[in-house]
Amino acid sequence: MTRKSSSMHRVPSAGAVEHGYPSGHLGHLTEHEEHALVEFKSLLEEKGLYKPGNPPSHDDPTLLRYLRARKWVPEDAYAQFNETEKFRNANEIDVLYNTIDIDSFEASRKLYPRFTGRRDKRGIPIYVFQIRHLDSHAVAKYEKSTETTYSKAKTDGKTPPKLLRLIALYEHLTRFVQPLSSECIDRPHPATPITLSTNIVDISHVSLRMFWNLKAHMQAASQLATAHYPETLDRIFIIGAPVFFSTVWGWVKRWFDPVTVSKIFILSDHDVLPVLTSFMDLKNIPKHYGGELEWDFFDEPAWDDEIKRICQWENGYTSLPAGPVYWRSIDDGKRVECLAVGSKGGVERRERVCTITKAYPPKSTEDTLAKVPQTDGATEGEESFVSPTSEKTALNGEVPTASIAALSVAE
């Protein structure tokens, strides 16, 4: 290690909050990006992977994720989208999510990032991941249990059951949490759909052995997101780094693709609250990390006031039930309903939990695409677990943008 790399922490400035989102998202596209979206749709339709209509087979926010991930090259976005569609069809992902055993789904949530029920200053949902619970015994027990997970979905015979369980969690993110966040209008760009997540990863009380044993667990999540859920991750704030972490960071970062690494910020203890409060209100930060939110890792989401305001409960529900849920458009797109699905003891459920009246009913693409002048270096779209940023990809831990006050993470 060189003297320059003695500190591994990267501290984003408050100005970085608006650096990526909403650029490259619906309503904030450049002329080049608009043309790429039109070309991408035409290519997908030609290949039989997209059907226009009301509603279309795939919405614009989903298609834009693939374009951002592939730097606005429609042919490259098509290649990734095509592979994802093949994967989804081979493993019947829709059937998996609709019929997965509810207890199995809930067990999976304990081993991956959990939604706090709160959103950052841009309206992006906040997830927290506490690593210390993932000792070798817990992971081994979980992986064994995935071998008997009930669902009606057929599989391709080569995707491990533990990854199929993880896919159900990504479906929960993209089909429930992000659409719910999109319907909240107490944010700077309320008409722009949310397709990202912000993550706080707590690695306190984690030993060197635990890090090594978790390699496969972490890699699987990252690779799955990169391949099939691109552009769903905004930033990852790593907190509670043990003293030896500077030693292991060099090989830990090789577990992930470079774009994911570029979105990781390792915060020292004195940086945690100043950095988090530049992205999140104090009331939405768990008390454990210096905020005001009464929420612990295994708690259910602590829904914020806006979410409570827009949800109209039905069928005796006053809160969300356990298990998979998703939103579906009703009343010609004027409202969405939340459906609770999954199964218990092999018996499937399909119940309406609540509805939301849409503040911004769907419009045509031409009505929603706002033209923004193209500036040098403003094209984005690196990554794969979510939000695009126009920050250059940080290789070897370097942080090459002036909008981030960085303490270098170099070899």
Side-chain angles (χ1 to χ4, degrees):
M1 267 194 180
T2 64
R3 180 175 300 177
K4 178 183 177 183
S5 64
S6 59
S7 175
M8 62 182 172
H9 302 89
R10 297 195 288 167
V11 184
S13 69
V17 173
E18 295 295 333
H19 193 61
Y21 177 87
S23 298
H25 291 248
L26 203 62
H28 300 270
L29 302 181
T30 66
E31 185 174 354
H32 166 72
E33 292 163 353
E34 289 182 31
H35 290 161
L37 178 57
V38 172
E39 187 178 338
F40 186 34
K41 286 182 176 179
S42 296
L43 180 58
L44 292 177
E45 187 175 2
E46 176 188 327
K47 301 290 186 179
L49 295 176
Y50 173 79
K51 293 182 180 179
N54 187 22
S57 60
H58 300 80
D59 61 25
D60 286 355
T62 298
L63 300 181
L64 286 170
R65 289 199 289 107
Y66 288 85
L67 281 169
R68 291 196 302 270
R70 295 302 163 185
K71 301 184 179 180
W72 303 98
V73 179
E75 293 78 8
D76 293 348
Y78 158 72
Q80 182 173 7
F81 187 89
N82 184 42
E83 288 303 312
T84 293
E85 288 297 289
K86 288 179 181 177
F87 176 83
R88 293 183 67 88
N89 291 333
N91 290 284
E92 297 187 342
I93 300 304
D94 288 337
V95 176
L96 169 70
Y97 193 67
N98 274 293
T99 63
I100 189 171
D101 178 73
I102 293 170
D103 292 336
S104 297
F105 179 87
E106 291 299 316
S108 299
R109 291 179 58 218
K110 297 178 180 179
L111 277 82
Y112 294 99
R114 294 173 67 89
F115 180 40
T116 61
R118 301 303 173 99
R119 297 163 294 126
D120 69 15
K121 292 179 179 180
R122 298 160 297 171
I124 296 172
I126 301 169
Y127 279 72
V128 171
F129 192 16
Q130 286 187 353
I131 305 296
R132 61 177 171 270
H133 306 290
L134 305 183
D135 57 44
S136 57
H137 175 73
V139 173
K141 181 179 179 181
Y142 168 74
E143 292 183 351
K144 181 68 175 177
S145 72
T146 65
E147 297 174 1
T148 56
T149 299
Y150 171 84
S151 85
K152 286 188 174 181
K154 297 178 182 178
T155 72
D156 58 12
K158 58 185 180 182
T159 302
K162 64 181 181 181
L163 286 189
L164 294 175
R165 289 260 290 259
L166 176 56
I167 284 169
L169 300 186
Y170 278 110
E171 291 290 297
H172 187 264
L173 167 68
T174 58
R175 300 177 66 180
F176 174 72
V177 175
Q178 290 174 342
L180 173 62
S181 301
S182 296
E183 295 305 324
C184 296
I185 60 174
D186 62 337
R187 52 192 177 97
H189 306 283
T192 300
I194 296 291
T195 56
L196 304 171
S197 63
T198 292
N199 288 256
I200 299 172
V201 179
D202 182 353
I203 61 174
S204 60
H205 310 294
V206 177
S207 68
L208 182 60
R209 179 184 293 274
M210 279 187 69
F211 272 116
W212 184 252
N213 290 341
L214 287 172
K215 177 181 178 181
H217 187 77
M218 300 295 207
Q219 277 185 317
S222 179
Q223 291 170 357
L224 184 66
T226 298
H228 302 305
Y229 296 88
E231 287 296 311
T232 50
L233 178 68
D234 187 55
R235 289 173 178 83
I236 303 173
F237 299 109
I238 294 184
I239 65 177
V243 292
F244 61 79
F245 195 68
S246 57
T247 302
V248 303
W249 172 242
W251 46 265
V252 168
K253 68 186 179 186
R254 291 184 176 87
W255 298 353
F256 310 104
D257 67 280
V259 178
T260 298
V261 171
S262 76
K263 298 189 176 187
I264 296 175
F265 299 95
I266 306 164
L267 307 183
S268 62
D269 290 344
H270 69 270
D271 288 327
V272 170
L273 197 57
V275 171
L276 292 185
T277 51
S278 73
F279 285 83
M280 314 165 192
D281 290 329
L282 203 61
K283 65 182 180 180
N284 296 324
I285 300 172
K287 280 189 173 181
H288 190 70
Y289 308 121
E292 300 174 349
L293 179 62
E294 293 279 1
W295 185 88
D296 290 318
F297 182 67
F298 292 113
D299 289 348
E300 292 304 308
W303 305 108
D304 65 35
D305 290 340
E306 176 69 357
I307 292 175
K308 292 177 182 177
R309 181 189 71 80
I310 63 176
C311 289
Q312 301 160 8
W313 301 105
E314 298 191 15
N315 297 323
Y317 284 101
T318 56
S319 63
L320 285 167
V325 289
Y326 67 87
W327 298 97
R328 187 178 69 168
S329 178
I330 58 174
D331 297 344
D332 296 323
K334 295 177 182 178
R335 292 196 302 156
V336 289
E337 66 174 351
C338 177
L339 292 178
V341 292
S343 61
K344 194 86 168 179
V347 179
E348 296 174 39
R349 70 173 181 181
R350 189 176 182 85
E351 303 168 349
R352 178 187 284 186
V353 175
C354 64
T355 60
I356 293 176
T357 300
K358 293 182 71 67
Y360 297 92
K363 298 179 181 180
S364 68
T365 298
E366 290 72 17
D367 291 335
T368 56
L369 298 184
K371 293 187 177 181
V372 180
Q374 180 72 53
T375 58
D376 291 341
T379 56
E380 27 191 316
E382 315 111 287
E383 187 201 90
S384 28
F385 198 103
V386 149
S387 144
T389 79
S390 48
E391 301 164 13
K392 298 177 183 177
T393 301
L395 299 175
N396 296 324
E398 298 284 358
V399 186
T401 173
S403 68
I404 294 180
L407 299 174
S408 125
V409 188
E411 295 278 20

